[in-house]
Amino acid sequence: MTEPFKLGIVVPCYNEEEVLPETSKELTRIISNLVNEHKITNNSKIVFVDDGSKDKTWPIIDEFSKQNDFVSGVKLSRNFGHQGALLAGVTSASNSCDAVVTIDADLQDDVNAIPKMVDEFIAGSEVVYGVRNNRDTDSAFKRDTAEAFYKFMGWLGVKIVPDSADFRLMSKRACKVLLSYQETNLFLRGIVPMVGFKSSKVFYARKERFAGTSKYPLRKMLKFAMDGITSFSIVPIKMIMGLGFFIVLITIGLLIYTLIQKAQGNVVTGWSSMMISIWALGGVQLICISVIGEYVGKIFSEVKRRPRFTIERDIYTEKTIKEEK
């Protein structure tokens, strides 16, 4: 693709009033440079998606959209979560953009990697992943758990790009295919590789958060990981049978041990058999019920077919309509 194309940069925001001025400034710089290099058109846009923020995030986005021709915004009616906000932005931007970049508002992902993504797109890639070249900014706990998660997902057979979050570029065609997936329980890091098409990677160093606090505490990270596991593999359900057999073998071993101890007169009558039965059966049942419950809950959410997001206001579409007139 040699002619300048229209680029959309989607930025999900939740209570990001502290970082938005700097994020807008940095992304505007990137777009301006790309326009000057005749790689993208001057009607390319930064689409900030307000995911039901409780601070001044939306008024700031609204004000920036009036002052900066590159800036526009989408306001969701309530908080739909990071993945829902991403999808809302991609839905809006992909209608008129030839390619869409998604990036978080905290500036931890290096905006200077976007021109490299654009170059990969021009060279023929339809999906370009931003991949971290190190995890120096993470704590040892987060680094180890992230590595374990990627290995576990690979063992489950889920195709996911290690050390790649939601910083990526997708062509218009790839976006349309992505939007055809109708999951309510969204895990885009697992869905995007399923889209196919030619892909490539751009490596970058992840930075410290520019301002504000992380919107992904441990509780949300664990839920996110569980969504990823249960949305793409039924291996955990299959593992239940293996776990059941394993517990049964342990129970048999304990039973043999108990009989030996009883023959030697070292066991209180009735205590061992009762405790073994309670712990063995109770443990197996609780684990099985909880794992199956996760999948039943997913089915419950999916079959209702509720909207994955609701847009209250779409400044991006409003600007696009004005430009076309």
Side-chain angles (χ1 to χ4, degrees):
M1 195 170 183
T2 56
E3 292 295 320
F5 65 93
K6 184 175 181 180
L7 177 69
I9 303 178
V10 173
V11 188
C13 307
Y14 179 67
N15 296 339
E16 298 287 5
E17 63 178 3
E18 296 177 62
V19 75
L20 272 178
E22 186 66 18
T23 304
S24 177
K25 175 185 173 183
E26 286 295 295
L27 291 177
T28 297
R29 174 179 64 82
I30 294 297
I31 283 191
S32 297
N33 290 342
L34 289 170
V35 169
N36 292 335
E37 293 171 6
H38 304 291
K39 292 181 179 179
I40 65 175
T41 59
N42 59 8
N43 63 342
S44 296
K45 291 288 186 290
I46 304 165
V47 185
F48 290 105
V49 183
D50 177 24
D51 187 25
S53 298
K54 298 177 182 178
D55 61 2
K56 297 179 181 178
T57 293
W58 179 250
I60 292 174
I61 294 172
D62 191 19
E63 185 63 27
F64 285 172
S65 69
K66 297 173 183 175
Q67 300 172 355
N68 187 337
D69 290 338
F70 289 133
V71 174
S72 62
V74 172
K75 187 180 190 313
L76 302 186
S77 61
R78 62 173 176 82
N79 179 256
F80 286 87
H82 180 266
Q83 301 291 278
L86 272 176
L87 204 67
V90 171
T91 301
S92 183
S94 62
N95 287 328
S96 60
C97 292
D98 300 301
V100 176
V101 170
T102 57
I103 184 172
D104 289 342
D106 55 19
L107 293 179
Q108 285 190 280
D109 295 324
D110 188 4
V111 297
N112 295 305
I114 294 177
K116 298 176 184 177
M117 292 181 170
V118 168
D119 289 340
E120 290 293 326
F121 173 67
I122 292 173
S125 294
E126 297 205 48
V127 180
V128 185
Y129 298 98
V131 181
R132 300 172 61 169
N133 57 18
N134 64 70
R135 284 188 169 270
D136 295 342
T137 58
D138 289 347
S139 64
F141 173 77
K142 187 172 183 180
R143 187 163 51 247
D144 292 342
T145 52
E147 184 178 350
F149 173 71
Y150 287 122
K151 287 182 178 178
F152 184 64
M153 292 294 282
W155 180 75
L156 292 177
V158 181
K159 292 183 179 180
I160 187 170
V161 179
D163 295 322
S164 172
D166 291 304
F167 183 30
R168 65 178 73 90
L169 177 147
M170 300 182 70
S171 68
K172 184 184 186 75
R173 181 168 67 158
C175 287
K176 293 300 182 184
V177 175
L178 173 65
L179 295 175
S180 70
Y181 287 79
Q182 297 298 312
E183 282 96 333
T184 299
N185 300 284
L186 293 169
F187 185 72
L188 296 179
R189 299 180 198 183
I191 298 176
V192 172
M194 296 172 64
V195 168
F197 303 127
K198 182 180 178 181
S199 65
S200 57
K201 300 175 183 177
V202 167
F203 294 89
Y204 69 97
R206 192 167 169 84
K207 304 176 182 179
E208 295 286 351
R209 184 181 176 88
F210 179 79
T213 58
S214 173
K215 305 306 183 294
Y216 262 92
L218 180 60
R219 177 180 59 83
K220 284 191 175 182
M221 290 296 293
L222 291 174
K223 182 181 181 302
F224 188 63
M226 182 60 70
D227 283 341
I229 293 169
T230 54
S231 294
F232 287 90
S233 177
I234 60 171
V235 170
I237 288 183
K238 293 180 179 180
M239 289 172 62
I240 289 176
M241 181 178 292
L243 177 64
F245 281 121
F246 179 69
I247 296 295
V248 168
L249 289 175
I250 293 178
T251 305
I252 292 172
L254 289 173
L255 180 60
I256 294 172
Y257 173 78
T258 301
L259 292 174
I260 294 173
Q261 292 298 310
K262 184 175 182 180
Q264 296 175 353
N266 298 328
V267 178
V268 177
T269 303
W271 182 87
S272 296
S273 60
M274 180 180 68
M275 294 305 295
I276 290 171
S277 299
I278 291 174
W279 285 99
L281 293 175
V284 171
Q285 289 173 349
L286 286 174
I287 292 172
C288 294
I289 290 172
S290 63
V291 173
I292 294 173
E294 278 291 326
Y295 284 91
V296 172
K298 290 284 190 297
I299 295 170
F300 177 70
S301 299
E302 294 291 344
V303 298
K304 288 186 290 186
R305 311 303 295 171
R306 289 177 178 173
R308 293 177 291 185
F309 54 84
T310 304
I311 295 177
E312 182 175 324
R313 187 183 174 194
D314 189 344
I315 297 176
Y316 172 77
T317 301
E318 294 171 7
K319 278 194 169 185
T320 301
I321 292 173
K322 287 181 180 180
E323 290 172 353
E324 290 176 351
K325 285 184 177 179

